[in-house]
Amino acid sequence: MINLTSQQLAIRDAPIPGRIALSGPAGSGKTTVGVERMLHLVRQGVFANSILVLTPQRTLANPYYNSLQQNSLPAGGQVSLLTVGGLARRAVDLFWPLAAENGGFTHIDQPPVFLTLETAQYHMAHLVRPLLDEGYFESVVIDRNRLYSQILDNLNKAAFVGFPNTEISARLDSAWAGDNAQRRVFSDVQECANRFRKYCLDNNMLDFSLQMETFWNVLWPNPIVHNYLTQSYQHLIYDNPEEDVPRAHDLILDWLPDLTSSLFIFDQGGGYRQFLGADPESAMRLRQQCDQDLILDTSFVMSPQINSLVTAFDRVFSASQLPASQANPEIDQALEFPISFPASTRFFPQMLEWVSNEIFYLIHDHKVPPSEIVVLAPFLSDSLRFSLVNRLESQNIPTRSHRPSRSLRDEPASQALLTLAALAHPSWNIHPSIFDVAYAFLFCIQDMDLVRTQLLASIVYRYKDMSLSPFDLIKPDIQDRITFTFGNRYAQLKKWLDSYRQESAQPFDHFMRRLFGEILSQPGFGFHNNYDAARVATSLIESIRKFRLAMDPAYSFQTGSSLDLGREYIHLLDDGVLAAQYLESWKPGLQEAVLIAPAHTFLMMNQPAKVQFWLDPGSNGWVERLNQPLTHPYVLSRNWERSSVTGNHIWTDADEVAANKKTLARFVSGLLHRCRGRLYLGISNFGENGFEQRGALLRTFQHVFQNEK
Amino acid sequence: MRYIEQFAWPAVESEPLLENERRQLEGQFFHRLVHQHWLGLPLDKLSRMANTPTLNQWWENYLSYDFKLKDFVTFPELNLTSQIGKHKLIAKYDLVAIGHDKVLIFDWKTFQKRPRDEWLAVRYQTRVYRSLLIQSGGCLKNNEPINPEQVEMIYWLANFPNQPIRFPYSTTQFVRDWQHLELMITRIDEQDEFPLTADEKKCNYCLYRSFCDRGISAAIIEDEYEPLFEMSELTLDQIPEIEF
Ligand code: SF4
């Protein structure tokens, strides 16, 4: 049973009907109140199906989800936990016959095809590639996949903010003061966005932006849909609206008169997802509509020392400019603050060594549970993650690395499956190398070692026609070296592939399922007892299936083209157009481990920790936004609309500096509000990339310490 | 394995795979159409979505059948839940209709062959759906309890529209069903090991065949098409995605 303060209790038990706005800093118990209010409503006999809990991102709904699982509640319906994007998608799916006709889709008698980020990128690539050959985006030097994703991102921004998608280039252009080549780029962006939208409408395909626009423009105004939604949900708990997009706020503002009760929970100082379209100012409109505006301002998380650090930072950030770079980048003594940093580390690996040693002391000497320690970096590259995890695991410290997703391309299990798929489909003309084949044997034939698999592959595999010769034809002494047990398994695998080659074509995901079930997961083969590999195989097969269905919107189930689809899938995976990412599942046992995560991900997990390590505070990655030449998170926002009503407004360097400063202040405050005890700064003179580090976060620390001297 | 250990195992459940996939998707489309119909979407817009011969046939069968629900309050695609032991029991109903003195549960089935009544009678779905409605359905009637004698479960068969299979309910059956479910759940909770089934025929239609070393290929489904795991489609993990 959670002990609530009298103020929390009053909010939990607030009368129905009523509209409450609740705000406060992170760690002041706001979400706890939200969860208790939800449980209270159900226990009071409110029909659970009429309660909607909205969050801008699914991870933020975890406390609600966990409490629904863990608490014994009266039998009845179920609370809905949704994002506005999820709500829109479900509405489009359910009310498709209305959406298809009025939303401008061509095939009103066919079902919709919801595009994932992957399949949207695939179709975008399909449309944009020929234009690149015609000279589109000539002056832009970025990875093609980033180019595609930024065009999609622009469409999303139009849908989130609520401006016509045909105005993307005009808006970007009007804020641009640089050379004219960039203006041409903006017009290329617009042309591609227009073509993509038309292509989607012609093929009943909906990327994320079109789902939102169809919901907002076509379905929400329709009385059947409107009544359905407003009658289904009468009680709303909206947690972290400041991390949501303006269109989400518009929707709820419109819905408000029909809601019996509502509770809005604002994180003071939030807005970490602004680069994804979050708009804290727009969210304030919801607050203004509430009968009660309550504040919880006592932090249950921060120690008084961390609190004083927050105050010191606030003072520096409220000064008009960030301090200039100092001649001596060494930080002076941190005085009273609960901050530690290495005495002197020149190079990045030395700093990582210091981090892992400090974590070891914290766990062993100070008995800090591993789950109370987080290591944060602005970005988490694979090499950084690998170096840290290795160092910690060599000291027997469990780690969990929260990256939202992993690419299937990099998984040995999927590489093995794709190599065998290429061997089974010679017409694809994808020739795996002898090493790929050896590694596929290594993975797929249980207990076979690398020496034997390389020997086997070098004898049986013919690169030219991708054929495999029989084990029986190998010289007896070599057969002995490989062993008959492994030889026998190889023979089974070969037989299966040979007989598949004789059959007629089948969808690629079906081929994979049969390969997995009929051979690779049978006793004696590599997937048999390997649950992680089975999980990877499941994700790969699901990704292929989605790809197939997205290519066959009418579900015609034609197998004729499936061969080409398989080849296409593998090519796109190799090119990185299909990221084929999958969510890593969280094993409960691993929760007792040190978390290594990008700072932004940690903020969105919204779980405090006793000790935080900030790696490389001298890096500009803490401050500067990603280079996105085809889009602009600030210009394509309502704030920009609001500030530029009086005429042309140009995005200047001064705007960029001011925006960066604001973002940094928000980040620092957000992280410190989620820190119970102590901060460790992983400082080194040279950063991960080998350059000297003097970024704004480091300079701000210097300033904070100097002020306090 | 699927529920307790949550093992993903992407093998083939039953053959013919492509045909089964097509049937399964058609079944889903049909459920979706009926749901949309109960939500009041215009008939002309719905009818054009019934765009394959099978779907069209089911849809016409559905439209020409009189479900006699004029005076009922209807809840299509309804999720209900109840605590059972340490767990939550969740069911998704195709349609629940509340009348003055009757509560009807409808389940749409797209079986190719009409199943035997006895086969359906002992299925968990029939027992869980009725008993759970008694436990949790009060919320549909202003928190008034539902009397088991008022409840009837009706399997309406899209291929045999005039031969629905009806299962009335009674207090005795309810007590027996709920006790049985509690007992089963306690047994599962207490069990550390789960022996392989003695009925090896089941393994022919099971995803985990290779895991359990119970054969190579999936068998062809010959009679009524009913995937073994149909009832599994709802798990607690899906709570955040509960549909409206
Ligand atoms: S014993 Fe048979 S039915 Fe049971 S899980 Fe294993 S394969 Fe499936």
Side-chain angles (χ1 to χ4, degrees), chain B residues 1 194-215 228-229:
Chain B
M1 271 181 302
F194 293 90
L196 306 188
T197 178
D199 179 5
E200 293 200 22
K201 247 171 61 189
K202 285 202 170 89
C203 308
N204 295 337
Y205 305 97
C206 176
L207 283 179
Y208 297 98
R209 203 176 312 107
S210 52
F211 180 85
C212 301
D213 195 11
R214 283 283 177 93
L228 197 58
F229 290 110

Side-chain angles (χ1 to χ4, degrees), chain A residues 584-600:
Chain A
E584 283 187 284
S585 69
W586 284 89
K587 293 181 187 141
L590 283 181
Q591 293 298 330
E592 259 316 307
V594 173
L595 173 73
I596 302 169
H600 178 265

Side-chain angles (χ1 to χ4, degrees), chain B residues 211-234:
Chain B
F211 180 85
C212 301
D213 195 11
R214 283 283 177 93
I216 307 282
S217 310
I220 293 174
I221 287 215
E222 280 159 1
D223 41 26
E224 60 271 331
Y225 176 66
E226 178 79 338
L228 197 58
F229 290 110
E230 189 200 44
M231 279 178 59
S232 71
E233 300 316 325
L234 258 190

Side-chain angles (χ1 to χ4, degrees), chain A residues 372 589 596 648:
Chain A
E372 281 291 340
I596 302 169
N648 281 345

Side-chain angles (χ1 to χ4, degrees), chain A residues 299-310 338 672 675-678:
Chain A
S299 171
F300 294 117
V301 171
M302 287 188 297
S303 63
Q305 292 81 5
I306 292 280
N307 201 356
S308 61
L309 183 59
V310 171
L672 290 178
C675 182
R676 277 194 249 276
R678 195 163 190 88

